[in-house]
Amino acid sequence: MRLPDVPGRPPDGLESLHTTITTSDTVRLRQDAGGHTEATRGARGWSLAAAAVLGLILAGGLAIRLWGVGRGLPYIHEWDEPLVLTWVIGMLQRGDINPSTFAYPSVYYYALLPVVYARYWYLHLRGTLPSPWALQLFHPHAAYARYWWYISAPSFYLWGRVLTACFGAATLFVVYRIGTVLFEPAVGLLAAAMLAVTPGTIYYADTVRVDVPMLFFVMLAILAGVNIWRRGDRRAYSRAGLLAGLAISTKPNAFWLAVPLFLAHLYNPDRDGVIDRRAVRLLLFTLLGFAIGTPYALAQVGYFLQRMGQNAAVYGGFPTLAMWRVGLPLYLGYLVHPAQGQEWYVIPHVAIGLAPTIAAGFGAVVGLFWKPKEQCYLLSFPLVYFVYTAGQRFLPLRYIMPVLPFMALSAAVGAVWLWRRLGMVRPAMPAIAMWALAAAGVLLLLVGPMRDSIGLARALAGDRDTRSLAVDWLRAHAPPGSTVAFEAELRWFVPDLNRLPVTVVYAARGDDGAWYRARHVTFAVVDARSVLRTQDVVFRAPSPSYLPSYDDVATWPPDTFDLVDPPVLIVRNPG
């Protein structure tokens, strides 16, 4: 028979994982010498086991996010990364706290600032950087001075990505708390485990971008919003509003938090009306949270609104049927199939996988029967956000990432509900059989995402730029003192070349054989369009298959995009 609910015992669903205790006749709650009952010791045992499992989930989630943080370096493979880090380094160089940009609001810029300072002082004390102004943020060759996907100390990007990965791992804990608070610990643990191995969150945790930090604050605001209707006091409204403001002050897409937080207000039995002092307080603290995160918007209101309007005009817009015809199939397909979206440099990956997507749909429905108020609250943000985002002009995969934690939560709700239901229908089923079914269900949900996320993390960690591979070959094969010509259009990381034991010269793509002969060049490192491509090629580093044809890339306006894994040839004795 099942133990009755007692104070300190996990909720009856799991016991928490639906533990069934049987004896030959009845369960006796015996006390030990310290006065503790078996139920109390069982509750403590569950708490310790849950903490241990949660610790493993968080550690594993952080490890898999840290695996690929070195992707591409010293070359930058993500278009948006300089749009963040360059401005943070600008604060370091000037010694102020004004990002001087509203490309994004400022929360993530400020989160990065102590990381940038710590890295600078480490390099400064080692004698590597004599001053902040020694950091080169644009390509040092004058002809390519507009190319800003460059930095003379790439470790700043590495540690910025580490910070993003930490935001991603912290989000797992918040998701666990949401599942526990709204449903029960089993839901929280399973949802956190699923999100830990969700490829769509892992990919962007390895970048210096605002999306993962925004998601962290979104989930914190969702967690805080629960107390709006469960407690209904001023502190609950203030805390939820502040966190929502910080989320919006990380990336404006989070403004859809207004939907679940207003729904939580409507749930509050103590409210005085649809719009009352509590609702106004929520709005005011949201504005306060935004102002705390982006204080210079208050000093430059006109410019800030202009910049946000420009972003909306280029990337957003009011959804239309024509836009949905493109966005909905793209994002729905991305949930279950590898995709790139509309960013050509993204390594194709799946968002979450087929089994979790099916489980999320099932859980979204059964959750309405299990705990309708909680489930409506949980679904309000992702449904509105997904429909709106799928109708935008620009459709990168990262835009849909805020939906994934809610899918993990819904999938966990469905799995735990089904397991509980099975225990009610088959009460005589042996405990070992119940545990075996639970393990099989968890394995079914996690094995696909685990395979995909490990594969993605390995791809990110193994993504060494083709130019780095060429430098490795030269380091091993070029005779010391020989002359090596590098095609300047390939935007080389200059410190790598300066460390080679050779004489480095730079050539233009159109230079002919006579140019190379005149300089006694032993090796020429060129791209696939060079006039030397038919000569004695001793090394080839082709572009990955997911990238566009280099013939197409070479026709794009120069220095308006980051050069990612260009096809590289090394030609011996050119000319």
Side-chain angles (χ1 to χ4, degrees):
M1 68 181 285
R2 196 181 316 281
L3 283 173
D5 289 339
V6 296
R9 184 172 182 77
D12 179 74
L14 261 190
E15 228 93 85
S16 209
L17 283 176
H18 219 73
T19 305
T20 302
I21 300 178
T22 58
T23 63
S24 58
D25 42 38
T26 185
V27 175
R28 299 178 177 84
L29 298 181
R30 295 184 296 271
Q31 290 186 335
D32 60 17
H36 300 297
T37 65
E38 290 180 352
T40 304
R41 292 197 302 273
R44 290 179 177 176
W46 157 251
S47 299
L48 291 174
V53 171
L54 180 61
L56 289 174
I57 291 170
L58 296 179
L62 179 60
I64 201 167
R65 283 158 175 77
L66 292 174
W67 194 349
V69 292
R71 177 199 176 190
L73 294 178
Y75 298 96
I76 299 168
H77 285 187
E78 288 285 326
W79 195 95
D80 256 8
E81 286 189 306
L83 203 58
V84 176
L85 191 62
T86 298
W87 300 102
V88 180
I89 291 176
M91 288 191 279
L92 166 72
Q93 292 174 329
R94 296 187 306 272
D96 62 29
I97 57 169
N98 184 357
S100 301
T101 182
F102 293 124
Y104 294 107
S106 304
V107 164
Y108 186 47
Y109 294 81
Y110 291 136
L112 280 168
L113 189 57
V115 176
V116 167
Y117 263 98
R119 188 59 187 169
Y120 164 72
W121 281 108
Y122 173 79
L123 295 176
H124 178 72
L125 293 174
R126 292 189 60 190
T128 305
L129 279 177
S131 78
W133 294 101
L135 271 171
Q136 178 68 47
L137 299 177
F138 293 84
H139 203 281
H141 293 166
Y144 311 115
R146 294 181 302 157
Y147 187 79
W148 73 336
W149 292 274
Y150 183 91
I151 188 171
S152 56
S155 58
F156 282 93
Y157 278 95
L158 178 72
W159 287 101
R161 293 173 183 178
V162 168
L163 175 65
T164 310
C166 291
F167 271 112
T171 304
L172 304 180
F173 179 77
V174 181
V175 167
Y176 160 75
R177 290 292 302 144
I178 292 172
T180 299
V181 169
L182 290 181
F183 292 92
E184 61 177 67
V187 172
L189 285 174
L190 184 53
M194 291 180 62
L195 191 64
V197 294
T198 297
T201 59
I202 292 170
Y203 183 90
Y204 292 105
D206 285 350
T207 65
V208 183
R209 285 183 179 271
V210 298
D211 303 271
V212 169
M214 178 199 74
L215 183 57
F216 170 72
F217 287 109
V218 164
M219 302 314 291
L220 276 179
I222 291 292
L223 178 60
V226 175
N227 283 333
I228 288 179
W229 90 78
R230 290 191 174 178
R231 295 182 181 174
D233 56 9
R234 291 183 299 175
R235 181 178 298 179
Y237 279 84
S238 302
R239 185 181 293 115
L242 278 173
L243 290 169
L246 289 173
I248 299 168
S249 199
T250 307
K251 191 175 182 182
N253 302 47
F255 77 91
W256 286 111
L257 278 169
V259 176
L261 295 185
F262 185 67
L263 182 60
H265 168 67
L266 295 180
Y267 283 166
N268 183 3
D270 297 327
R271 62 181 171 84
D272 299 323
V274 174
I275 304 295
D276 61 2
R277 289 177 298 175
R278 292 179 175 87
V280 173
R281 186 181 189 87
L282 179 64
L283 174 61
L284 291 177
F285 272 84
T286 299
L287 296 174
L288 177 61
F290 182 88
I292 291 172
T294 310
Y296 285 91
L298 300 178
Q300 300 172 289
V301 175
Y303 175 58
F304 171 76
L305 294 177
Q306 178 188 17
R307 193 70 175 88
M308 292 297 103
Q310 290 171 347
N311 287 346
V314 173
Y315 301 111
F318 191 80
T320 65
L321 184 59
M323 294 176 181
W324 278 324
R325 286 173 178 168
V326 178
L328 287 173
L330 188 153
Y331 283 143
L332 289 172
Y334 170 53
L335 296 178
V336 296
H337 296 295
Q340 275 187 299
Q342 294 182 349
E343 292 178 314
W344 57 270
Y345 47 80
V346 169
I347 295 177
H349 61 279
V350 65
I352 190 168
L354 181 59
T357 298
I358 294 173
F362 174 74
V365 174
V366 300
L368 295 173
F369 295 94
W370 183 4
K371 293 190 174 183
K373 181 182 293 187
E374 287 80 355
Q375 186 71 345
C376 286
Y377 174 72
L378 203 58
L379 293 177
S380 59
F381 177 83
L383 289 178
V384 175
Y385 182 90
F386 186 91
V387 171
Y388 172 78
T389 303
Q392 299 303 287
R393 294 187 181 92
F394 184 48
L395 300 169
L397 302 181
R398 53 194 165 90
Y399 278 14
I400 213 65
M401 185 174 54
V403 172
L404 301 181
F406 297 92
M407 291 185 67
L409 283 162
S410 287
V413 166
V416 173
W417 180 90
L418 187 62
W419 197 81
R420 286 167 55 98
R421 188 70 177 173
L422 182 61
M424 294 173 61
V425 174
R426 299 288 183 88
M429 182 177 292
I432 191 171
M434 291 292 294
W435 280 105
L437 286 174
V442 170
L443 186 64
L444 179 65
L445 287 176
L446 296 184
V447 66
M450 285 181 64
R451 179 199 62 225
D452 295 335
S453 60
I454 291 173
L456 175 61
R458 291 181 63 184
L460 291 168
D463 186 15
R464 296 199 68 227
D465 193 272
T466 51
R467 290 161 291 187
S468 295
L469 298 177
V471 170
D472 288 347
W473 190 93
L474 290 168
R475 189 176 291 112
H477 297 90
S482 60
T483 299
V484 178
F486 292 86
E487 185 179 294
E489 284 85 349
L490 291 175
R491 310 296 190 268
W492 294 91
F493 180 63
V494 175
D496 264 2
L497 308 192
N498 292 341
R499 285 191 285 265
L500 290 172
V502 300
T503 299
V504 174
V505 296
Y506 292 95
R509 179 180 291 146
D511 287 339
D512 58 14
W515 186 95
Y516 290 93
R517 287 195 302 272
R519 288 157 180 80
H520 307 289
V521 172
T522 305
F523 292 105
V525 191
V526 298
D527 67 41
R529 292 170 59 88
S530 169
V531 295
L532 304 180
R533 63 185 181 275
T534 59
Q535 297 190 20
D536 184 16
V537 177
V538 294
F539 175 81
R540 296 177 186 270
S543 297
S545 59
Y546 62 83
L547 292 177
S549 164
Y550 192 67
D551 289 338
D552 294 334
V553 172
T555 65
W556 298 352
D559 299 330
T560 61
F561 63 95
D562 50 332
L563 200 58
V564 177
D565 282 324
V568 174
L569 311 176
I570 298 180
V571 179
R572 180 165 46 200
N573 299 322

